[in-house]
Amino acid sequence: MNLIEKTGQTDRQNRANAIQAAGAGVMFGSIVSGSLVLLPVGIVSFFATMLYQWNAIRCPRCGYNLSWHAVTRKEVGQSASWLQTAKACPRCGLGEEGSATARSAGLAAVATQAETAAADPVGVPLPPGAFAEPPPDAPWRLALGPVGKPYWSDYGYIEAGRMVGCTREELLRRFEGGGMVLMVWTPDTPRPTWFENVPELLDRYRAGRMAAGRRGYWGPLAFLVTVLVGMLTSGEPVTLGGGPAFWLAGSALLLGIRLYMRRSAMRLDAAAVRHELDDAWHAGWLRGQPAQLTKVLIGSMIGVFVAQGLSTGSSANAAGMLPEAVRHGEWWRLLSYGVLHAHPLHIGLNLLALWSLGKLMEVHANRALLSPVLLAGIVGGGLIGLVMGPDIPMVGVSGGLLAVIGFLAVVGFRRRERVPHGFGASMLKDVAFVAAVGLVGFRMIANAGHLGGLLAGVALGALLVPRPHDEPRVGWAVGPVMTAVGWICTGVLVATCAATALYLFVAPH
């Protein structure tokens, strides 16, 4: 296995990401082409690889996948046992610096570096305090303290909390096939530095990224193949500007976007690599952050979907957003439609999005704001759908999700000093993706509801997101009034789920 140290990525992980992207491509291709023959293949591929990645054992500090280093879940859970065995995270060094045994060994090793290096080919432990505490406004960020490079080797790197000397050729080989180490030293550097500050290592890394990025085509190609299968099996004529030709144009657009991303990888410079690593560290750190309210909301919506499966008749007609019924006084549908879903794939994708977006709201904004923004998106999406949408049932929490995306986009641009570099841009990319999917599947996707939710989220963000202040922390505190509003909105959402589930059993439909 080609292990790419320090990034939490391996060749196996890259393959898993590619298979997951291909599964998503097959799912969307099956839906938009109307040919559901390959849909089970896409669903199994997507969710199986997702579970594979979720089940990884990760470093408590930086999120690195420790499963690839024979670390057990019990050892990580009992951190004292993990540290006493002098194991260390290959990315951030957690373990070596936290263990009393490792600290004393590090002090002794620093005093006799030359002798230890000659006897220990895997290097010497870093001195205590080598890894500085991350700043409170960016707790995911790794920082190396003022550590001098060892005099016994002109070239080397830091790995698993140890300083490893090597030759220039050995250091270059660490960057073959997409591999890397974060911190290195050379004769031209006064102390260990980030690898992207060494031009020849940056060139090697860029070449490896280009090679590893070839698997990024799997998703668009899977979408293209699935659409072609749908074209061949549907029996519809290929007409320019519509029908299967439209889906084929969408596939070509996806491939074009992939080519653009490949071109961007070719132009990576030191600043771009630093931003990418910052985003990767943030993703690893975010996995360990709590998201209790998000879990409550997800559980409530799963309960409604179970009730949908057990009830008879059409739940969309019974409690969905039917414009004609709303105009006749059934305004409660502007709430109930947001907790209903059309099928397992619909709720699966929406709840996956809610899990990631809800955690971002709880961490980078405030937990009390999640329910008000979600509720405003559901109601706003229903109102815009009532005015602009077709007179057909509308279901799903997508409007609420677009509200959260819009709110987080305001967070990303107004509080850019308190979020990772690509935070705001990633929210805009999500909006663009949803818009593109809406254009492709305009016959089956409630674009008006998405627009209403997005506008509601942006409006709330403009009102509620403060400018960065002197308090060095992620997110911001809210007053007792906003906290009370958050609890009330949470109660409304949970009560809506419970009432909708009960209504599906008793309503005539």
Side-chain angles (χ1 to χ4, degrees):
M1 181 179 64
N2 177 25
L3 183 64
I4 303 177
E5 299 287 355
K6 299 291 186 180
T7 64
Q9 299 291 322
T10 65
D11 189 57
R12 178 173 55 180
Q13 179 70 20
N14 287 334
R15 286 197 300 270
N17 291 336
I19 293 172
Q20 188 171 18
V26 171
M27 284 194 298
F28 285 113
S30 298
I31 292 173
V32 300
S33 67
S35 176
L36 304 182
V37 177
L38 296 178
L39 181 60
V41 177
I43 293 175
V44 171
S45 301
F46 180 84
F47 286 101
T49 48
M50 182 192 69
L51 291 175
Y52 164 77
Q53 297 183 62
W54 277 9
N55 197 44
I57 304 168
R58 300 188 180 275
C59 170
R61 175 197 279 173
C62 69
Y64 179 77
N65 191 338
L66 297 168
S67 303
W68 303 321
H69 297 271
V71 175
T72 67
R73 197 176 300 278
K74 180 179 180 181
E75 288 174 322
V76 175
Q78 301 173 354
S79 58
S81 171
W82 184 39
L83 301 183
Q84 287 171 5
T85 59
K87 294 182 179 178
C89 173
R91 177 195 278 175
C92 69
L94 180 64
E96 291 284 4
E97 59 176 317
S99 166
T101 303
R103 282 200 300 269
S104 61
L107 289 172
V110 171
T112 58
Q113 281 186 351
E115 293 79 5
T116 307
D120 186 0
V122 298
V124 299
L126 283 169
F131 286 98
E133 287 296 321
D137 61 337
W140 59 86
R141 195 163 292 156
L142 301 181
L144 184 67
V147 178
K149 64 181 181 182
Y151 63 83
W152 41 264
S153 178
D154 289 336
Y155 293 88
Y157 53 89
I158 295 176
E159 184 175 64
R162 305 179 76 85
M163 305 181 76
V164 183
C166 65
T167 65
R168 175 178 175 274
E169 291 71 22
E170 289 172 337
L171 182 59
L172 291 175
R173 280 199 295 270
R174 299 286 297 182
F175 285 78
E176 291 180 354
M180 62 175 287
V181 286
L182 280 181
M183 288 163 284
V184 302
W185 69 84
T186 71
D188 298 328
T189 60
R191 57 172 49 93
T193 184
W194 303 107
F195 79 89
E196 67 268 17
N197 295 326
V198 180
E200 59 181 344
L201 297 183
L202 179 59
D203 291 340
R204 286 283 183 115
Y205 173 75
R206 188 184 297 114
R209 276 284 305 276
M210 293 293 299
R214 292 170 186 158
R215 292 198 178 100
Y217 293 98
W218 288 20
L221 285 175
F223 182 85
L224 174 61
V225 171
T226 306
V227 168
L228 290 175
V229 171
M231 291 171 55
L232 295 173
T233 58
S234 63
E236 297 181 6
V238 179
T239 58
L240 187 62
F246 185 72
W247 311 135
L248 187 59
S251 302
L253 176 62
L254 287 177
L255 289 175
I257 293 173
R258 184 60 204 171
L259 288 173
Y260 170 78
M261 295 174 63
R262 183 176 182 272
R263 184 177 179 85
S264 299
M266 294 174 62
R267 298 180 176 180
L268 278 176
D269 57 12
V273 172
R274 176 60 28 205
H275 293 153
E276 283 190 353
L277 292 176
D278 189 53
D279 292 341
W281 293 335
H282 173 262
W285 169 81
L286 191 66
R287 291 188 186 99
Q289 302 307 303
Q292 289 91 340
L293 179 56
T294 303
K295 293 178 181 178
V296 170
L297 296 176
I298 288 175
S300 300
M301 292 185 187
I302 291 175
V304 176
F305 191 70
V306 172
Q308 287 183 249
L310 296 177
S311 63
T312 59
S314 171
S315 56
N317 291 330
M321 212 294 291
L322 282 170
E324 188 64 27
V326 174
R327 294 188 189 100
H328 283 81
E330 297 182 3
W331 292 96
W332 51 268
R333 290 177 179 266
L334 292 174
L335 286 177
S336 62
Y337 90 94
V339 299
L340 295 173
H341 289 88
H343 45 73
L345 180 60
H346 187 204
I347 189 174
L349 294 176
N350 274 354
L351 294 190
L352 280 176
L354 179 58
W355 170 250
S356 60
L357 294 171
K359 178 175 283 193
L360 287 173
M361 277 289 293
E362 293 193 48
V363 172
H364 284 287
N366 190 286
R367 182 170 298 156
L369 299 175
L370 173 58
S371 293
V373 172
L374 194 67
L375 187 61
I378 292 174
V379 175
L383 290 174
I384 297 296
L386 181 65
V387 175
M388 298 176 55
D391 196 13
I392 58 175
M394 186 168 70
V395 296
V397 74
S398 302
L401 296 177
L402 264 294
V404 176
I405 291 175
F407 189 94
L408 289 173
V410 178
V411 172
F413 288 99
R414 185 173 288 182
R415 295 175 57 83
R416 60 179 60 90
E417 295 87 354
R418 298 291 185 267
V419 296
H421 178 267
F423 190 93
S426 68
M427 294 299 115
L428 294 183
K429 290 176 184 177
D430 288 343
V431 173
F433 175 77
V434 173
V437 172
L439 288 175
V440 173
F442 65 93
R443 291 187 178 92
M444 63 190 76
I445 294 176
N447 290 307
H450 289 173
L451 176 62
L454 179 63
L455 293 177
V458 172
L460 284 179
L463 290 173
L464 299 176
V465 177
R467 299 284 180 181
H469 45 77
D470 294 334
E471 184 181 2
R473 61 178 237 160
V474 174
W476 66 89
V478 298
V481 174
M482 195 65 239
T483 301
V485 170
W487 279 110
I488 292 172
C489 291
T490 300
V492 170
L493 285 172
V494 174
T496 298
C497 290
T500 302
L502 180 62
Y503 182 73
L504 293 177
F505 287 105
V506 300
H509 58 278

